[in-house]
Amino acid sequence: MMRRPSRFTSALFVFALPLAAGLRAEDKVQFNRDVRPIFSDTCFQCHGPDEKKRKAGLRLDTRETAVKPAESGDIAIVPGKPEESEMVKRLETTDPDDVMPPSKLHKKITPEQIAAVKKWIAQGAEYQPHWAFIKPERSAVPRLADIHLPDTGWKNGADGHGDWTANPVDGFLLQSMAAKGLTPAREAAPETVIRRMSLDLTGLPPTPAEVDAFAQSWRTNGSRVAVDKLADRLLASPRYGERMAVQWLDFARYADSNGFQSDTSRQMWHWRDWVIDAFNRNMPFDEFTLEQLAGDMLPNATRDQIVASGFQRNCRLNGEGGRIVEEWFAETVIDRVETTGMTWLGLTLGCCRCHDHKFDPITQREFYQFFAFFNSSDENGVLDDFPGAAGSRQGGNSRPVLALPSPEEEAQMAKLEAVVKTAQQRVAEAQKQLPQLARDWEARFRETLQEKKPAWQLLAAEARSEGGATLTRLEDGSWLASGKNPPNDTYTVTAPIPAGEFSGLLLEALPDASLPQQSLGRNSNGNYVLTSVEAEISAPSLPQQLVADFTRAEADYEQKGWEVKQIVDDNSPRRGKQKDKKGWAIDGNDPAKRLPRKAMFVTGSPLTVPPDATIMIRLKHEALANHNIGRFRVSATSLPPTVVKLNGGDTPKEIRDILDLDPAKRTPAQRGALLKFYRENTDNPASRADTALAEAKKKLEDFSRTLANSMVMKELPQPREAFVLIRGEYDKHGDKVERGLPAALPPLPAGAPMDRRGLARWITAPDNPLTARVWVNRAWEKFFGIGLVRTTENLGSQSEWPSNPELLDFLATEFVRLKWDMRAMQKLLVTSAAYRQSSQVTPDLLERDPENRLVARGPRFRLSAELLRDQALAISGLLVEKIGGPSVRPYMPEGVWDETSRYGDMRNYKADTGEGLYRRSLYTIWKRTASPPTMMIFDSPSREICTVKRSRTDTPLQALSLLNEVTFVEAARALAQRMILEGGTTPEQRIAWAFKRATGHSPKAGELEVLANGLNARLARYQNDIGAAQRLIAFGTSKPDPNANPSELAAYTLTANVLLNLDEVITRE
Amino acid sequence: MNCNDHHFLKLALDQRVALTRRTFLQRSASGIGLAALGALLGERLAAAPAAASPGGVPAFPNFPAKAKRIIYLFQSGAPSQMDLFDPKPELARRRGEDLPDSIRQGQRLTTMTSGQKRFPVAPTIFNFQQHGQSGATLSELLPHLGEVADDFCIVRSLFTEAINHDPAITFMQTGSQLAGRPSIGSWVGYGLGSENKDLPAYVVLTSFGTGRRDDQPLYDRLWSSGFLPSKHQGVKFRNQGDPVLYLSNPPGVDRDARREMLDELSTLNQQHHDALGDPEIQTRISQYEMAFRMQASVPDLTDFSKESPDVLEMYGPEVKTPGTYASNCLLARRLAERDVRFVQLFHMGWDHHGGLPTAIRGQCRDTDQPTAALIKDLKQRGLLDDTLIVWGGEFGRTIYSQGTLTEDNYGRDHHPRCFTVLLAGGGIKRGLTLGGTDDYCYNIVKDPVHVHDLNATILHLLGIEHTRLIYRYQGRDFRLTDIHGEVVKSMLA
């Protein structure tokens, strides 16, 4: 929306207030309509509910306090006596010290406003509570007979009022129009009505066949019946849920990323799909509310209900390195309070986080009582980032989450769980034999202890670099690399190996002063990545080499994402080569981490080594260029694979001491320690059972980690404590508070629990004065362009006086009467005669009602970002209609995610290649710190916080998007192709065909002429430049028809480009 | 009424003068829509009545502005004040000693260092020198800035409230640590509108630093219009492809073909307007015309081929590489020449928790010469007098070392309690060094300047009284400076 100021406006900027025009002498002044807006805007800041900011002890928002003497002794308001009222004197004085409001506030009050205040005092200064805090009363539907109107010209009614008698909405509107001397506009053409309603209810334009069928029905049955059937059809369409969800996603701050600095990925699309489905099932709004605020707490909650509770998990989660968890926990909960207040109640509760509300009767304490409903979820309020967390700075969800396995996956889970159970039983059985086995072992073990060699035997090795580095042997048996540092070196180590058993290798990497950064690796930053370890044993007696199959690897340090076990996974002969090499790295770029490191590689079962054998070991570095180890040595072990440890598996002194004791004199603790040592360090039935159990558990855990999940709420058994946070700061606790509801609003419904369930029931209790009004007001905004109360985001005392209060309250009570049936309410609105009006406007009407608040014409406004794209895809036939699923990646300019961040896992955006390019826009992947740019250009919010209202601007960047963005150009080409193939044979026929697809109606003669002339000019242009034609039609991923004449297709493409840019097409009219 | 009558169109347009006033009154009551009169682009349109204001709120500027435009050189990640601007030579003797509790006073630390057992003092290893007549003291890492030291003001006593990057940079930009508020550039564009009809009022340029290549990410929110109409959002020029999104015609469509197509579109839209009477259609037509003009003006803007070799050399060798800080500085000058109201550069890479000496050298190499060149270049063109330059980050860094302190290596954690910002140009007192910190560069001891004060001062220099630049949203009046902020008079020329 863009209008220009004129020079006359400059003096009038700032706070002009709505005042019922033409207040006449005999009128009764209504406090809420005429006076409260003045007080709220100019007085309450210092003389309102906020006790701490109150000046002069004067409180003007309640009559009781306003009529009492203030600190000065003066009485602000003397009912019936404006001349004695101090307030009037202060408003009228020119003395800069006394005048109210004080000049430093820069708040102006007009003579008309002062007159209204005086008159109100003269009439007795009767207060009313703010209208939105009073339960709406059902207004009587105005009777047409009572409204004096000229003939509206609507044809299908005997009295000339036509259908304006059929729908209660129209009665209210006609009455307010009549009061202002306006009459309704004529009925729009059926082609306009079906396009309007299709876009409003499904977000997609009607097909030409749907338009024709509707026009036929309109002629046959009359417009009212036709429209009634159309509304039923559209409301039952699965597209309806998608259309409604778009706005709800804004409210819920839904996104595919966690927000804040690293802005990693998360997975909440199951919740998004729940919303679509809930709308498509026409879930009543009270249930819709309950499941989203407390679905997890319902008795026997279903999976869907728990998923629904993810509404409050859509908030951002901070994962920044230095974050203070307590601080961001508080922010997370506060975000929920603000979102709930704005989404359901139309209240700006956020104002009370630091102080009592300046305008509304809500205290800071009440804010934190509300806070207490949301602070007891089993979470820490920040991005999970600990080992094993589902979510981390690498991306993923943060606790609590609900796993969402498919039926097949559930079966697999059950199998794995059964394996765990069996393994647990085996452990229990094996444990029984343990004491006897341990006694047998002890005698043998004491003997071996006497003659024990070190577990790891350093190999007297020869080493060489295949990549040409120089390897020098140092005194400690390690090899130091120098000279050439090839991108991917392999070190080959050969050494004699004693006869007996071979079960593993120990690799030690060592820092050296000669290495870059005095570190361990040869890369300039001091790091290395080892990607594979292979070992073969050969001996004269062996017919072929023995190849070691390392199945276990451990290191004393590993870099996150570069764990040593990846070597084993990748190295195993069973697995073959993977494409992306990963391996073991040690943060060698971090000065604090440049310490000696060890890794061991253990075989599944020992190899038997014959005499005179040689081992050949290959250490490969194949992941990153130049990341070769700088200095290393290698040892081997003959200990059993289950026993060997990184530190050698030496027997600790504590155990040796116990062994030296007489068994009879050992304490129970000592006996236990010995048993434990035996169990963990020898090959025995219990250790085998333990290993099997650990493996079974790991498999179960690994598998469950691959399952889809969604973030949900999960209430702690004991609620967390809540406090008033002084000035809203997390570390400044004031009074402890319990859950509670603002005193200015009704109490919790009888029998409802004081938790999120009760809160949801309270929100949708019939006597809650706000919820229904908030919902119907936003529905009105959706269909008529502007709310009955303009401030759809705020119904508090700073909100606008409704343009039609009786209608608003009628609708609010009707919503409750219809048991919160959203579809029925929408049908009521779109089947009104008002909705069917033409949006043509006359200068007179523009002058009298520039914003169409009285709805004496059809509203007309630009389509939203999502609808513009969806419509282009639909008109061209490219749209892939498929509901739900993981978010998709349509076209996005190169580098949008990468130009401003090298953090997190949402980088290097690659557009999908197939249907993901053509799905509806609400499925587009959403990274909050770099949102889809075309969406932002068309006024989408960033989804960082709850947004209930988008601005509606008109900018050149929007023109550039619609003209040049590949989606829109490709859509134009697809439409052009269909024009040629399906649209008839002459240019005029084809243009008319496409025009109808785009606008819903046929072109007028003048329009057809302009378009045909343009097409002819372009045909000539592209016949002379076939190269240009070919370039144009090749734009986009889908392929043009190979049989098409390129020049012709290119010319038609630009014609289609014109059509998709017509104001009429990008506007819902 | 015959709505197809051409007379109707004229009438409708004539009516708009009176009409807009009424509309404006009504809308400003709730602050939605029309109070936002500042356009993304200048609004002196053929179809519109000549307006006195270039598209901002008519009340602004409140008083004669010292600066007509601003170039804000944001150093993202937080440059270390004690290594660049705020020397503490006495500290050399205290290397490795623990930061005294009397200095730290139990103030909170980030969780990156709150677990450290010791807080060893890490004096800077860089030398400082005095420059120019003012004797401004700067680190040896900033030799080029030293050459223009008499042109800027050093504020050593800025402080903020946040301790982590995301909330801190959001606070600098919007006056709130949390998402949702308009950025400073959006406020200025909203208040003052644009002087240029072919370019956005608020342009954002970004570059990665060589000090820490992965650091710090930026967010759309930093140039978002928040609750102001989204046409006030900063237009981020891109470093690859079209500088402005979707600026280029698709392949195979040249400027002539586009012109023809737009003529056709315009004729059809005009016909539709004649039938329907909605003035918004006229606005749409004019936006398409502006888009067409931008397609010519932006490439002209980003074409450095006519810059003299002397000028290019002044900005340093990287000026010819698009997306570098140097290149962005030159682009900023070209934007300033075209009267773009608010140009903001974000240079990343200043977050030096470890390896600071190496990293900060890289950052200074990126920024020192081009920043100095920008000041010189504006000066030689007579533009420095009415262009405000700001150079600074989102907080400072700790005097104690994060991680191990060695002879030539240390790191520093986040420090919100004091940091340094430079200001130059329109209305700024030149050669001034303002404010002081304690012996450990930890607490401010003289002339503290809060972020709100800095923002109030910036608005002041642009002719805006910060308490009056207000937008009504959700029933509340919002300001860039929230309910705080004092203009720092001592900073003013």
Side-chain angles (χ1 to χ4, degrees), chain B residues 458-469:
Chain B
I458 290 172
L459 291 182
H460 176 89
L461 289 164
L462 292 166
I464 298 171
E465 190 181 333
H466 70 104
T467 57
R468 304 189 71 158
L469 184 62

Side-chain angles (χ1 to χ4, degrees), chain A residues 4 41 261 320 790 840 843 851 894 899-900 902-903 929 934 939 944 956 964 1021-1022 1061 1063, chain B residues 8 20 27 30 165 213 215-216 218 221 230 236 238-239 246 252 258 260 275 284 287-288 472:
Chain A
R4 274 155 293 278
D41 196 50
Q261 189 189 39
E320 189 167 341
R790 177 204 311 279
Q840 190 184 47
E851 292 185 285
E894 280 290 297
E899 282 210 321
T900 49
R902 288 171 177 164
Y903 267 38
T929 60
T934 318
D939 304 324
E944 296 189 291
N964 300 331
R1021 174 183 290 279
Y1022 283 117
N1061 275 277
D1063 183 79
Chain B
F8 171 79
T20 335
R27 296 194 183 186
S30 69
H165 294 286
R213 289 178 183 275
D215 216 62
Q216 277 287 332
L218 302 170
R221 144 177 30 107
S230 47
K236 188 173 84 64
R238 296 166 42 77
N239 296 326
Y246 317 126
R258 179 57 83 209
E260 272 177 28
R284 181 100 53 223
Q287 298 305 316
Y288 275 81
R472 174 68 60 90

